[in-house]
Amino acid sequence: MARYVTSLRTSRSPDDAFAYLADLRNFAEWDPSVSRADLVTGTEPGPDAEFDVSVEVGPRTLTLRYRTEVHDPPRRVRVKAESRLLTSIDTINVTPVGAGCEITYDAVLHLPSGLSLLDSLLERAFRRTGDKAAAGLRRVFDADARP
């Protein structure tokens, strides 16, 4: 299992931050590993929404179907994608702080048991990818990182 957690504070309202992050079509704006994200089920982000997210993995593009598991505006959204190669679970929590909010993004990747020997490699690669995505989030939200 590989995990990446980042937090940041922004002056944007919890409603605005949640709406932006719950719409996975915005991923390509801040995560440089995402080349495309499309809403494929539903008419808007919400409890039944599904998104196809195309991720650049070296020279290949891997498209994952993310299903919204939790949609609790403006506090929490969790999406999950499963393929034969991995399971990805992204949980986003938005907490009001003053006039703005704190965003915590928690992403977990699980490999099937037959590939678990590759966990340490996945973790290192995920850390590099996560650092770039976190920088993109800070840029989009004009925010400061929080430990």
Side-chain angles (χ1 to χ4, degrees):
M1 176 184 87
R3 185 174 185 194
Y4 190 90
V5 179
T6 190
S7 293
L8 57 93
R9 285 198 180 165
T10 179
S11 60
R12 288 170 68 173
S13 73
D15 288 328
D16 184 42
F18 179 88
Y20 179 83
L21 291 166
D23 189 344
L24 274 58
R25 293 173 291 187
N26 294 319
F27 272 27
E29 288 183 26
W30 57 266
D31 186 338
S33 71
V34 174
S35 59
R36 182 181 179 110
D38 299 301
L39 179 64
V40 295
T41 301
T43 58
E44 62 185 19
D48 298 320
E50 293 183 359
F51 300 84
D52 279 350
V53 177
S54 297
V55 181
E56 303 301 319
V57 182
R60 296 187 55 210
T61 300
L62 175 65
T63 300
L64 298 168
R65 169 86 32 109
Y66 279 89
R67 289 171 183 82
T68 304
E69 292 191 327
V70 175
H71 190 266
D72 182 19
R75 293 180 288 279
R76 186 168 188 243
V77 65
R78 183 176 64 228
V79 294
K80 181 177 182 179
E82 293 180 281
S83 75
R84 62 180 180 82
L85 296 175
L86 62 89
T87 299
S88 175
I89 302 170
D90 292 22
T91 304
I92 303 161
N93 290 300
V94 180
T95 306
V97 176
C101 64
E102 182 167 25
I103 298 165
T104 301
Y105 201 108
D106 187 346
V108 178
L109 294 179
H110 294 276
L111 294 172
S113 58
L115 297 175
S116 61
L117 292 174
L118 300 174
D119 272 342
S120 63
L121 292 173
L122 178 64
E123 191 170 343
R124 280 181 277 179
F126 197 38
R127 190 175 317 122
R128 285 191 302 274
T129 301
D131 285 345
K132 292 175 185 176
L137 272 178
R138 287 192 302 277
R139 177 185 46 77
V140 163
F141 282 97
D142 192 27
D144 298 317
R146 298 288 178 220

